[in-house]
Structures are given as C-alpha cells and as structure tokens.
Amino acid sequence: MTMTPVTDLCDLHEDKLVYGSLRVLAPVFRSFGKRAAFAGPASTLKVFEDNGLVRAALEEQGAGRVLVIDGGGSLRCALVGGNLGKLAEENGWEGILVNGCVRDTRELAECNVGIHALAVHPRKSIKKNAGQREVGVQMPGAYIQSGEWIYADEDGVLVSQDKLV
C-alpha cells in the first residue's frame, strides 16, 4: 500500500488540524514491524498489563484495520510479541499501535505489518482477558474512537475523523 507521508497529510489538511478533526499523537512511538508506514480504520482496545484481548482481536480478520491498544502507557511488560505480530500479518491487519511495550523485536521486524509502540520490554503480560473493546481510548496526544483513521510512518502518527485522500 502506497501511503501519502504524514508530513504531507498535515500540509494538505492544515484546516483539519486547526479544527481538531485531524490530530497528531505525541512523538513517543517507535516502529518495530517490517512496514514503518501504515494506515487504516482504528479498532480499539483498553487493557492494562493483560494481552488476552489483544490475541482475541488479532485472531479475527483485520480487513485492513489498525489495532489501537491503550495499555495505559505501562512499561512493566509487553502487550505484543512475535507470535501476535505474525498473527496480525496472517489475518490481514494493517498495523498495531501500542500505548505500551512490545517484545521479540527481531521477530516483529520480520512481520509484514506496521507496529508502533512506546518501548521494548522482555517480560510477557498476564492473560486474564480483562479490558474493553471498541471504546474510546486516550493515547499520548489524542483521544481515539473506533472507526477513526490512523496514519503512521517514520515521522509520526495521525488520527483523522475521516479517511484522508
């Protein structure tokens, strides 16, 4: 998928930035997947140090969506690892955006999916399936609703109420 760079999207849609229908996330995310650039409608999760719902979501057909995981910014364990990255690739997810940590970075780098997260942590999370799906989530710099569009590349992450052309 060829995507317009996020810098160009910002330039093309300055009016949306002014009015808030296009928002820029805080510059805190690092890229870990094979694809640094990705875009798609958001499917949201709110979890804390528990990736049971992350696996359940990635087991579904992604249909070009971006899984947005509000992990509360926890730096105490990873919410996505190599197995989940591969699952995302196999099931047609466009990307994963994690307000938290990932692990198995060598494996994630081989997954043909975009994966942006705050940091790396070697410890795995618990699996109690606690959390909420398809709810509004607070990510660093912006609130995101399911269905809003995510645009990410090496220069940052954008959230838009509508698909940008």
Side-chain angles (χ1 to χ4, degrees):
M1 169 183 166
T2 303
M3 189 184 96
T4 303
V6 298
T7 53
D8 292 346
L9 290 172
C10 285
D11 294 349
L12 291 168
H13 300 283
E14 285 185 58
D15 58 327
K16 293 179 187 246
L17 287 166
V18 170
Y19 293 109
S21 62
L22 178 62
R23 285 119 40 222
V24 180
L25 293 188
V28 295
F29 293 95
R30 294 173 45 197
S31 179
F32 296 95
K34 187 180 244 181
R35 285 190 281 158
F38 58 95
S43 175
T44 61
L45 284 177
K46 184 175 180 71
V47 299
F48 189 73
E49 298 180 359
D50 181 343
N51 76 347
L53 290 181
V54 176
R55 173 173 287 284
L58 293 174
E59 286 174 344
E60 299 172 2
Q61 288 301 308
R65 294 178 291 164
V66 174
L67 185 61
V68 177
I69 306 165
D70 176 5
S74 174
L75 300 178
R76 299 188 312 186
C77 67
L79 293 174
V80 174
N83 291 335
L84 294 184
K86 190 67 176 164
L87 192 61
E89 177 184 2
E90 291 169 357
N91 288 330
W93 288 86
E94 192 65 24
I96 304 171
L97 180 63
V98 186
N99 183 16
C101 296
V102 296
R103 68 188 213 154
D104 303 321
T105 57
R106 290 180 190 164
E107 292 173 38
L108 293 178
E110 296 300 316
C111 296
N112 191 18
V113 63
I115 303 168
H116 285 204
L118 299 180
V120 176
H121 200 289
R123 185 178 179 191
K124 66 181 178 178
S125 74
I126 59 172
K127 291 164 181 52
K128 292 185 179 179
N129 297 320
Q132 297 172 291
R133 291 186 70 176
E134 306 306 339
V135 296
V137 294
Q138 182 63 55
M139 298 295 276
Y143 190 75
I144 302 173
Q145 298 276 2
S146 283
E148 291 190 301
W149 278 77
I150 306 298
Y151 297 88
D153 69 13
E154 303 86 346
D155 290 321
V157 182
L158 305 178
V159 182
S160 177
Q161 289 178 348
D162 304 301
K163 183 177 181 179
L164 302 175
V165 284

